Amino acid sequence: CQEKQKNIEDSTTESLRLVQETLNMGAATAAELEGQGKQIDKIHDNLVDINQSVKKSEHHVRGIKSIFGALWNRATGPPKEQVNIPKVEPVAAPPRPAAGPGRDVRSGPVFTQEKHRLDTDRTHDNLQQIGVGVQSMREMALAMGGELDRQNKKLVDVNQEADKANLGVNKLTKDMNKIIAKS
């Protein structure tokens, strides 16, 4: 019975170590995911700025192309600045609970019945800590899933802004080539 209890205790201690290791990996992944989200947000903001510059350039090229373009520019005024939508901050992983192997109950002489109770208490403590760790992993996974959803939506926006910038630059290049050919 003591050997069986020792095996159970060893097993729960190892499981607790694996839970802590998994939590550490999850925290590192969440930190990487947060950094990735900040990069995506910066790329999006840069593309919005590029598209604003393209609009201003189109305005100037239209004025250079013809007198009618210049009159149109005067009538409509300069392009309106696009208002940036406030950024949604990435969802951070929840704080990890401190997990450890528990207290050491193996020191000093103890009666067999008392030792069994203490071993059972330690196993119980390990199981409780494993439960807390698994719950933390669940919460961390949900937070990372939410951040991935946010990033996926932002990537769709990045793609649309990049397409818009590409079309605008191509049109400007074509118009400028026409103006240069006329000169």
Side-chain angles (χ1 to χ4, degrees), residues 139-173:
E139 291 168 4
M140 191 181 297
L142 289 172
M144 284 190 278
E147 175 62 12
L148 283 170
D149 288 344
R150 185 194 75 78
Q151 287 181 20
N152 284 334
K153 289 174 186 170
K154 186 61 92 167
L155 285 171
V156 168
D157 292 345
V158 163
N159 194 35
Q160 290 171 346
E161 291 291 332
D163 287 346
K164 193 184 331 178
N166 190 35
L167 289 172
V169 168
N170 287 341
K171 183 180 181 313
L172 281 172
T173 302

PDB file of all heavy atoms in Angstrom, residues 139-173:
ATOM      1  N   GLU A 139      -7.684  29.131 -19.647  1.00  0.00           N
ATOM      2  CA  GLU A 139      -7.864  30.581 -19.753  1.00  0.00           C
ATOM      3  C   GLU A 139      -6.833  31.185 -20.707  1.00  0.00           C
ATOM      4  O   GLU A 139      -7.152  32.072 -21.504  1.00  0.00           O
ATOM      5  CB  GLU A 139      -7.779  31.225 -18.376  1.00  0.00           C
ATOM      6  CG  GLU A 139      -8.955  30.876 -17.482  1.00  0.00           C
ATOM      7  CD  GLU A 139      -8.752  31.264 -16.032  1.00  0.00           C
ATOM      8  OE1 GLU A 139      -7.722  31.883 -15.690  1.00  0.00           O
ATOM      9  OE2 GLU A 139      -9.646  30.936 -15.213  1.00  0.00           O
ATOM     10  N   MET A 140      -5.604  30.696 -20.625  1.00  0.00           N
ATOM     11  CA  MET A 140      -4.546  31.180 -21.497  1.00  0.00           C
ATOM     12  C   MET A 140      -4.873  30.848 -22.960  1.00  0.00           C
ATOM     13  O   MET A 140      -4.718  31.683 -23.855  1.00  0.00           O
ATOM     14  CB  MET A 140      -3.209  30.551 -21.095  1.00  0.00           C
ATOM     15  CG  MET A 140      -2.000  31.175 -21.750  1.00  0.00           C
ATOM     16  SD  MET A 140      -0.441  30.378 -21.268  1.00  0.00           S
ATOM     17  CE  MET A 140      -0.404  30.696 -19.515  1.00  0.00           C
ATOM     18  N   ALA A 141      -5.338  29.635 -23.185  1.00  0.00           N
ATOM     19  CA  ALA A 141      -5.691  29.212 -24.544  1.00  0.00           C
ATOM     20  C   ALA A 141      -6.845  30.056 -25.101  1.00  0.00           C
ATOM     21  O   ALA A 141      -6.826  30.459 -26.267  1.00  0.00           O
ATOM     22  CB  ALA A 141      -6.057  27.727 -24.562  1.00  0.00           C
ATOM     23  N   LEU A 142      -7.838  30.343 -24.270  1.00  0.00           N
ATOM     24  CA  LEU A 142      -8.952  31.188 -24.716  1.00  0.00           C
ATOM     25  C   LEU A 142      -8.486  32.600 -25.048  1.00  0.00           C
ATOM     26  O   LEU A 142      -8.914  33.192 -26.045  1.00  0.00           O
ATOM     27  CB  LEU A 142     -10.051  31.228 -23.643  1.00  0.00           C
ATOM     28  CG  LEU A 142     -10.847  29.936 -23.453  1.00  0.00           C
ATOM     29  CD1 LEU A 142     -11.770  30.047 -22.239  1.00  0.00           C
ATOM     30  CD2 LEU A 142     -11.641  29.587 -24.703  1.00  0.00           C
ATOM     31  N   ALA A 143      -7.601  33.143 -24.217  1.00  0.00           N
ATOM     32  CA  ALA A 143      -7.074  34.489 -24.472  1.00  0.00           C
ATOM     33  C   ALA A 143      -6.267  34.510 -25.768  1.00  0.00           C
ATOM     34  O   ALA A 143      -6.394  35.432 -26.578  1.00  0.00           O
ATOM     35  CB  ALA A 143      -6.206  34.961 -23.295  1.00  0.00           C
ATOM     36  N   MET A 144      -5.449  33.473 -25.979  1.00  0.00           N
ATOM     37  CA  MET A 144      -4.660  33.419 -27.216  1.00  0.00           C
ATOM     38  C   MET A 144      -5.573  33.233 -28.423  1.00  0.00           C
ATOM     39  O   MET A 144      -5.328  33.823 -29.481  1.00  0.00           O
ATOM     40  CB  MET A 144      -3.623  32.292 -27.139  1.00  0.00           C
ATOM     41  CG  MET A 144      -2.443  32.643 -26.254  1.00  0.00           C
ATOM     42  SD  MET A 144      -1.073  31.479 -26.369  1.00  0.00           S
ATOM     43  CE  MET A 144      -1.605  30.188 -25.280  1.00  0.00           C
ATOM     44  N   GLY A 145      -6.634  32.462 -28.268  1.00  0.00           N
ATOM     45  CA  GLY A 145      -7.594  32.301 -29.355  1.00  0.00           C
ATOM     46  C   GLY A 145      -8.254  33.629 -29.714  1.00  0.00           C
ATOM     47  O   GLY A 145      -8.427  33.952 -30.889  1.00  0.00           O
ATOM     48  N   GLY A 146      -8.598  34.404 -28.694  1.00  0.00           N
ATOM     49  CA  GLY A 146      -9.177  35.728 -28.940  1.00  0.00           C
ATOM     50  C   GLY A 146      -8.195  36.648 -29.650  1.00  0.00           C
ATOM     51  O   GLY A 146      -8.565  37.395 -30.565  1.00  0.00           O
ATOM     52  N   GLU A 147      -6.933  36.594 -29.243  1.00  0.00           N
ATOM     53  CA  GLU A 147      -5.907  37.415 -29.892  1.00  0.00           C
ATOM     54  C   GLU A 147      -5.700  36.974 -31.340  1.00  0.00           C
ATOM     55  O   GLU A 147      -5.537  37.808 -32.234  1.00  0.00           O
ATOM     56  CB  GLU A 147      -4.600  37.358 -29.105  1.00  0.00           C
ATOM     57  CG  GLU A 147      -3.434  38.076 -29.754  1.00  0.00           C
ATOM     58  CD  GLU A 147      -3.619  39.572 -29.947  1.00  0.00           C
ATOM     59  OE1 GLU A 147      -4.564  40.175 -29.380  1.00  0.00           O
ATOM     60  OE2 GLU A 147      -2.805  40.178 -30.672  1.00  0.00           O
ATOM     61  N   LEU A 148      -5.722  35.677 -31.586  1.00  0.00           N
ATOM     62  CA  LEU A 148      -5.584  35.185 -32.967  1.00  0.00           C
ATOM     63  C   LEU A 148      -6.757  35.642 -33.827  1.00  0.00           C
ATOM     64  O   LEU A 148      -6.568  36.028 -34.988  1.00  0.00           O
ATOM     65  CB  LEU A 148      -5.470  33.658 -32.983  1.00  0.00           C
ATOM     66  CG  LEU A 148      -4.119  33.107 -32.574  1.00  0.00           C
ATOM     67  CD1 LEU A 148      -4.196  31.588 -32.398  1.00  0.00           C
ATOM     68  CD2 LEU A 148      -3.046  33.469 -33.582  1.00  0.00           C
ATOM     69  N   ASP A 149      -7.959  35.620 -33.273  1.00  0.00           N
ATOM     70  CA  ASP A 149      -9.132  36.117 -34.014  1.00  0.00           C
ATOM     71  C   ASP A 149      -8.959  37.595 -34.363  1.00  0.00           C
ATOM     72  O   ASP A 149      -9.240  38.021 -35.486  1.00  0.00           O
ATOM     73  CB  ASP A 149     -10.413  35.928 -33.197  1.00  0.00           C
ATOM     74  CG  ASP A 149     -10.847  34.466 -33.088  1.00  0.00           C
ATOM     75  OD1 ASP A 149     -10.355  33.630 -33.880  1.00  0.00           O
ATOM     76  OD2 ASP A 149     -11.668  34.173 -32.201  1.00  0.00           O
ATOM     77  N   ARG A 150      -8.498  38.386 -33.383  1.00  0.00           N
ATOM     78  CA  ARG A 150      -8.278  39.817 -33.616  1.00  0.00           C
ATOM     79  C   ARG A 150      -7.227  40.023 -34.704  1.00  0.00           C
ATOM     80  O   ARG A 150      -7.395  40.850 -35.604  1.00  0.00           O
ATOM     81  CB  ARG A 150      -7.826  40.497 -32.317  1.00  0.00           C
ATOM     82  CG  ARG A 150      -7.694  42.013 -32.429  1.00  0.00           C
ATOM     83  CD  ARG A 150      -6.940  42.604 -31.248  1.00  0.00           C
ATOM     84  NE  ARG A 150      -5.523  42.368 -31.300  1.00  0.00           N
ATOM     85  CZ  ARG A 150      -4.664  43.058 -32.070  1.00  0.00           C
ATOM     86  NH1 ARG A 150      -5.094  44.018 -32.850  1.00  0.00           N
ATOM     87  NH2 ARG A 150      -3.377  42.784 -32.051  1.00  0.00           N
ATOM     88  N   GLN A 151      -6.144  39.254 -34.639  1.00  0.00           N
ATOM     89  CA  GLN A 151      -5.085  39.389 -35.630  1.00  0.00           C
ATOM     90  C   GLN A 151      -5.565  38.974 -37.023  1.00  0.00           C
ATOM     91  O   GLN A 151      -5.206  39.603 -38.020  1.00  0.00           O
ATOM     92  CB  GLN A 151      -3.860  38.562 -35.227  1.00  0.00           C
ATOM     93  CG  GLN A 151      -3.105  39.170 -34.064  1.00  0.00           C
ATOM     94  CD  GLN A 151      -1.878  38.369 -33.689  1.00  0.00           C
ATOM     95  OE1 GLN A 151      -1.361  37.578 -34.468  1.00  0.00           O
ATOM     96  NE2 GLN A 151      -1.403  38.567 -32.461  1.00  0.00           N
ATOM     97  N   ASN A 152      -6.382  37.929 -37.089  1.00  0.00           N
ATOM     98  CA  ASN A 152      -6.900  37.513 -38.392  1.00  0.00           C
ATOM     99  C   ASN A 152      -7.757  38.609 -39.017  1.00  0.00           C
ATOM    100  O   ASN A 152      -7.660  38.877 -40.220  1.00  0.00           O
ATOM    101  CB  ASN A 152      -7.693  36.209 -38.269  1.00  0.00           C
ATOM    102  CG  ASN A 152      -6.805  34.996 -38.112  1.00  0.00           C
ATOM    103  OD1 ASN A 152      -5.661  34.993 -38.539  1.00  0.00           O
ATOM    104  ND2 ASN A 152      -7.327  33.964 -37.486  1.00  0.00           N
ATOM    105  N   LYS A 153      -8.590  39.254 -38.214  1.00  0.00           N
ATOM    106  CA  LYS A 153      -9.410  40.361 -38.726  1.00  0.00           C
ATOM    107  C   LYS A 153      -8.514  41.517 -39.184  1.00  0.00           C
ATOM    108  O   LYS A 153      -8.759  42.134 -40.212  1.00  0.00           O
ATOM    109  CB  LYS A 153     -10.392  40.834 -37.652  1.00  0.00           C
ATOM    110  CG  LYS A 153     -11.506  39.844 -37.395  1.00  0.00           C
ATOM    111  CD  LYS A 153     -12.388  40.268 -36.229  1.00  0.00           C
ATOM    112  CE  LYS A 153     -13.395  39.178 -35.920  1.00  0.00           C
ATOM    113  NZ  LYS A 153     -14.119  39.405 -34.674  1.00  0.00           N
ATOM    114  N   LYS A 154      -7.486  41.799 -38.404  1.00  0.00           N
ATOM    115  CA  LYS A 154      -6.577  42.888 -38.758  1.00  0.00           C
ATOM    116  C   LYS A 154      -5.821  42.552 -40.045  1.00  0.00           C
ATOM    117  O   LYS A 154      -5.562  43.436 -40.867  1.00  0.00           O
ATOM    118  CB  LYS A 154      -5.602  43.143 -37.606  1.00  0.00           C
ATOM    119  CG  LYS A 154      -4.699  44.340 -37.812  1.00  0.00           C
ATOM    120  CD  LYS A 154      -5.454  45.638 -37.940  1.00  0.00           C
ATOM    121  CE  LYS A 154      -5.601  46.303 -36.624  1.00  0.00           C
ATOM    122  NZ  LYS A 154      -6.058  47.687 -36.699  1.00  0.00           N
ATOM    123  N   LEU A 155      -5.480  41.283 -40.244  1.00  0.00           N
ATOM    124  CA  LEU A 155      -4.792  40.876 -41.478  1.00  0.00           C
ATOM    125  C   LEU A 155      -5.679  41.065 -42.707  1.00  0.00           C
ATOM    126  O   LEU A 155      -5.182  41.408 -43.780  1.00  0.00           O
ATOM    127  CB  LEU A 155      -4.310  39.425 -41.378  1.00  0.00           C
ATOM    128  CG  LEU A 155      -3.084  39.208 -40.502  1.00  0.00           C
ATOM    129  CD1 LEU A 155      -2.821  37.721 -40.305  1.00  0.00           C
ATOM    130  CD2 LEU A 155      -1.858  39.890 -41.093  1.00  0.00           C
ATOM    131  N   VAL A 156      -6.972  40.862 -42.555  1.00  0.00           N
ATOM    132  CA  VAL A 156      -7.904  41.136 -43.662  1.00  0.00           C
ATOM    133  C   VAL A 156      -7.842  42.628 -43.993  1.00  0.00           C
ATOM    134  O   VAL A 156      -7.767  43.014 -45.167  1.00  0.00           O
ATOM    135  CB  VAL A 156      -9.343  40.687 -43.298  1.00  0.00           C
ATOM    136  CG1 VAL A 156     -10.355  41.215 -44.296  1.00  0.00           C
ATOM    137  CG2 VAL A 156      -9.416  39.161 -43.219  1.00  0.00           C
ATOM    138  N   ASP A 157      -7.850  43.476 -42.958  1.00  0.00           N
ATOM    139  CA  ASP A 157      -7.742  44.921 -43.167  1.00  0.00           C
ATOM    140  C   ASP A 157      -6.410  45.284 -43.818  1.00  0.00           C
ATOM    141  O   ASP A 157      -6.350  46.136 -44.707  1.00  0.00           O
ATOM    142  CB  ASP A 157      -7.865  45.677 -41.836  1.00  0.00           C
ATOM    143  CG  ASP A 157      -9.254  45.583 -41.223  1.00  0.00           C
ATOM    144  OD1 ASP A 157     -10.202  45.188 -41.938  1.00  0.00           O
ATOM    145  OD2 ASP A 157      -9.387  45.894 -40.019  1.00  0.00           O
ATOM    146  N   VAL A 158      -5.322  44.641 -43.383  1.00  0.00           N
ATOM    147  CA  VAL A 158      -4.003  44.891 -43.960  1.00  0.00           C
ATOM    148  C   VAL A 158      -4.021  44.546 -45.442  1.00  0.00           C
ATOM    149  O   VAL A 158      -3.507  45.313 -46.279  1.00  0.00           O
ATOM    150  CB  VAL A 158      -2.909  44.080 -43.214  1.00  0.00           C
ATOM    151  CG1 VAL A 158      -1.624  44.000 -44.019  1.00  0.00           C
ATOM    152  CG2 VAL A 158      -2.642  44.685 -41.847  1.00  0.00           C
ATOM    153  N   ASN A 159      -4.609  43.431 -45.779  1.00  0.00           N
ATOM    154  CA  ASN A 159      -4.684  43.005 -47.179  1.00  0.00           C
ATOM    155  C   ASN A 159      -5.470  44.024 -48.011  1.00  0.00           C
ATOM    156  O   ASN A 159      -5.051  44.383 -49.122  1.00  0.00           O
ATOM    157  CB  ASN A 159      -5.317  41.615 -47.275  1.00  0.00           C
ATOM    158  CG  ASN A 159      -5.132  40.982 -48.621  1.00  0.00           C
ATOM    159  OD1 ASN A 159      -4.114  41.163 -49.277  1.00  0.00           O
ATOM    160  ND2 ASN A 159      -6.123  40.228 -49.047  1.00  0.00           N
ATOM    161  N   GLN A 160      -6.580  44.509 -47.503  1.00  0.00           N
ATOM    162  CA  GLN A 160      -7.382  45.500 -48.225  1.00  0.00           C
ATOM    163  C   GLN A 160      -6.606  46.803 -48.396  1.00  0.00           C
ATOM    164  O   GLN A 160      -6.623  47.405 -49.477  1.00  0.00           O
ATOM    165  CB  GLN A 160      -8.699  45.759 -47.485  1.00  0.00           C
ATOM    166  CG  GLN A 160      -9.650  44.583 -47.550  1.00  0.00           C
ATOM    167  CD  GLN A 160     -10.866  44.752 -46.641  1.00  0.00           C
ATOM    168  OE1 GLN A 160     -10.900  45.622 -45.763  1.00  0.00           O
ATOM    169  NE2 GLN A 160     -11.867  43.915 -46.846  1.00  0.00           N
ATOM    170  N   GLU A 161      -5.931  47.250 -47.346  1.00  0.00           N
ATOM    171  CA  GLU A 161      -5.142  48.487 -47.431  1.00  0.00           C
ATOM    172  C   GLU A 161      -3.983  48.321 -48.417  1.00  0.00           C
ATOM    173  O   GLU A 161      -3.669  49.245 -49.171  1.00  0.00           O
ATOM    174  CB  GLU A 161      -4.609  48.890 -46.052  1.00  0.00           C
ATOM    175  CG  GLU A 161      -5.670  49.364 -45.070  1.00  0.00           C
ATOM    176  CD  GLU A 161      -6.297  50.691 -45.438  1.00  0.00           C
ATOM    177  OE1 GLU A 161      -5.653  51.533 -46.104  1.00  0.00           O
ATOM    178  OE2 GLU A 161      -7.464  50.894 -45.059  1.00  0.00           O
ATOM    179  N   ALA A 162      -3.356  47.142 -48.427  1.00  0.00           N
ATOM    180  CA  ALA A 162      -2.251  46.896 -49.353  1.00  0.00           C
ATOM    181  C   ALA A 162      -2.749  46.892 -50.798  1.00  0.00           C
ATOM    182  O   ALA A 162      -2.091  47.453 -51.693  1.00  0.00           O
ATOM    183  CB  ALA A 162      -1.565  45.569 -49.028  1.00  0.00           C
ATOM    184  N   ASP A 163      -3.903  46.283 -51.036  1.00  0.00           N
ATOM    185  CA  ASP A 163      -4.482  46.286 -52.388  1.00  0.00           C
ATOM    186  C   ASP A 163      -4.795  47.709 -52.841  1.00  0.00           C
ATOM    187  O   ASP A 163      -4.513  48.087 -53.981  1.00  0.00           O
ATOM    188  CB  ASP A 163      -5.755  45.437 -52.429  1.00  0.00           C
ATOM    189  CG  ASP A 163      -5.486  43.940 -52.362  1.00  0.00           C
ATOM    190  OD1 ASP A 163      -4.314  43.525 -52.543  1.00  0.00           O
ATOM    191  OD2 ASP A 163      -6.447  43.185 -52.108  1.00  0.00           O
ATOM    192  N   LYS A 164      -5.372  48.491 -51.931  1.00  0.00           N
ATOM    193  CA  LYS A 164      -5.705  49.873 -52.248  1.00  0.00           C
ATOM    194  C   LYS A 164      -4.436  50.670 -52.577  1.00  0.00           C
ATOM    195  O   LYS A 164      -4.400  51.437 -53.542  1.00  0.00           O
ATOM    196  CB  LYS A 164      -6.445  50.506 -51.052  1.00  0.00           C
ATOM    197  CG  LYS A 164      -7.097  51.823 -51.377  1.00  0.00           C
ATOM    198  CD  LYS A 164      -7.762  52.554 -50.200  1.00  0.00           C
ATOM    199  CE  LYS A 164      -8.293  51.752 -49.088  1.00  0.00           C
ATOM    200  NZ  LYS A 164      -8.855  52.594 -48.006  1.00  0.00           N
ATOM    201  N   ALA A 165      -3.388  50.471 -51.785  1.00  0.00           N
ATOM    202  CA  ALA A 165      -2.118  51.173 -52.013  1.00  0.00           C
ATOM    203  C   ALA A 165      -1.517  50.754 -53.359  1.00  0.00           C
ATOM    204  O   ALA A 165      -1.033  51.600 -54.121  1.00  0.00           O
ATOM    205  CB  ALA A 165      -1.130  50.894 -50.889  1.00  0.00           C
ATOM    206  N   ASN A 166      -1.561  49.481 -53.653  1.00  0.00           N
ATOM    207  CA  ASN A 166      -1.016  48.974 -54.910  1.00  0.00           C
ATOM    208  C   ASN A 166      -1.743  49.570 -56.113  1.00  0.00           C
ATOM    209  O   ASN A 166      -1.111  50.033 -57.073  1.00  0.00           O
ATOM    210  CB  ASN A 166      -1.101  47.442 -54.930  1.00  0.00           C
ATOM    211  CG  ASN A 166      -0.346  46.834 -56.084  1.00  0.00           C
ATOM    212  OD1 ASN A 166       0.692  47.327 -56.496  1.00  0.00           O
ATOM    213  ND2 ASN A 166      -0.877  45.742 -56.604  1.00  0.00           N
ATOM    214  N   LEU A 167      -3.076  49.593 -56.061  1.00  0.00           N
ATOM    215  CA  LEU A 167      -3.854  50.184 -57.158  1.00  0.00           C
ATOM    216  C   LEU A 167      -3.540  51.671 -57.318  1.00  0.00           C
ATOM    217  O   LEU A 167      -3.367  52.170 -58.437  1.00  0.00           O
ATOM    218  CB  LEU A 167      -5.351  49.986 -56.919  1.00  0.00           C
ATOM    219  CG  LEU A 167      -5.872  48.563 -57.062  1.00  0.00           C
ATOM    220  CD1 LEU A 167      -7.332  48.482 -56.591  1.00  0.00           C
ATOM    221  CD2 LEU A 167      -5.749  48.086 -58.497  1.00  0.00           C
ATOM    222  N   GLY A 168      -3.463  52.379 -56.200  1.00  0.00           N
ATOM    223  CA  GLY A 168      -3.189  53.810 -56.249  1.00  0.00           C
ATOM    224  C   GLY A 168      -1.807  54.118 -56.818  1.00  0.00           C
ATOM    225  O   GLY A 168      -1.657  55.015 -57.655  1.00  0.00           O
ATOM    226  N   VAL A 169      -0.806  53.370 -56.385  1.00  0.00           N
ATOM    227  CA  VAL A 169       0.554  53.596 -56.884  1.00  0.00           C
ATOM    228  C   VAL A 169       0.630  53.261 -58.371  1.00  0.00           C
ATOM    229  O   VAL A 169       1.269  53.993 -59.149  1.00  0.00           O
ATOM    230  CB  VAL A 169       1.577  52.779 -56.055  1.00  0.00           C
ATOM    231  CG1 VAL A 169       2.935  52.768 -56.727  1.00  0.00           C
ATOM    232  CG2 VAL A 169       1.679  53.338 -54.644  1.00  0.00           C
ATOM    233  N   ASN A 170      -0.021  52.176 -58.783  1.00  0.00           N
ATOM    234  CA  ASN A 170      -0.017  51.820 -60.211  1.00  0.00           C
ATOM    235  C   ASN A 170      -0.683  52.907 -61.057  1.00  0.00           C
ATOM    236  O   ASN A 170      -0.188  53.262 -62.128  1.00  0.00           O
ATOM    237  CB  ASN A 170      -0.711  50.473 -60.437  1.00  0.00           C
ATOM    238  CG  ASN A 170       0.130  49.310 -59.967  1.00  0.00           C
ATOM    239  OD1 ASN A 170       1.338  49.425 -59.793  1.00  0.00           O
ATOM    240  ND2 ASN A 170      -0.516  48.178 -59.745  1.00  0.00           N
ATOM    241  N   LYS A 171      -1.791  53.462 -60.565  1.00  0.00           N
ATOM    242  CA  LYS A 171      -2.481  54.528 -61.297  1.00  0.00           C
ATOM    243  C   LYS A 171      -1.592  55.775 -61.366  1.00  0.00           C
ATOM    244  O   LYS A 171      -1.488  56.411 -62.421  1.00  0.00           O
ATOM    245  CB  LYS A 171      -3.812  54.863 -60.624  1.00  0.00           C
ATOM    246  CG  LYS A 171      -4.624  55.916 -61.370  1.00  0.00           C
ATOM    247  CD  LYS A 171      -5.928  56.192 -60.661  1.00  0.00           C
ATOM    248  CE  LYS A 171      -6.784  57.213 -61.352  1.00  0.00           C
ATOM    249  NZ  LYS A 171      -6.144  58.419 -61.792  1.00  0.00           N
ATOM    250  N   LEU A 172      -0.957  56.119 -60.252  1.00  0.00           N
ATOM    251  CA  LEU A 172      -0.064  57.282 -60.244  1.00  0.00           C
ATOM    252  C   LEU A 172       1.101  57.097 -61.214  1.00  0.00           C
ATOM    253  O   LEU A 172       1.469  58.028 -61.937  1.00  0.00           O
ATOM    254  CB  LEU A 172       0.497  57.519 -58.842  1.00  0.00           C
ATOM    255  CG  LEU A 172      -0.429  58.225 -57.857  1.00  0.00           C
ATOM    256  CD1 LEU A 172       0.180  58.215 -56.464  1.00  0.00           C
ATOM    257  CD2 LEU A 172      -0.699  59.645 -58.307  1.00  0.00           C
ATOM    258  N   THR A 173       1.666  55.916 -61.238  1.00  0.00           N
ATOM    259  CA  THR A 173       2.786  55.629 -62.146  1.00  0.00           C
ATOM    260  C   THR A 173       2.343  55.789 -63.594  1.00  0.00           C
ATOM    261  O   THR A 173       3.045  56.408 -64.404  1.00  0.00           O
ATOM    262  CB  THR A 173       3.314  54.200 -61.904  1.00  0.00           C
ATOM    263  OG1 THR A 173       3.722  54.097 -60.538  1.00  0.00           O
ATOM    264  CG2 THR A 173       4.477  53.878 -62.819  1.00  0.00           C
TER     265      THR A 173
END
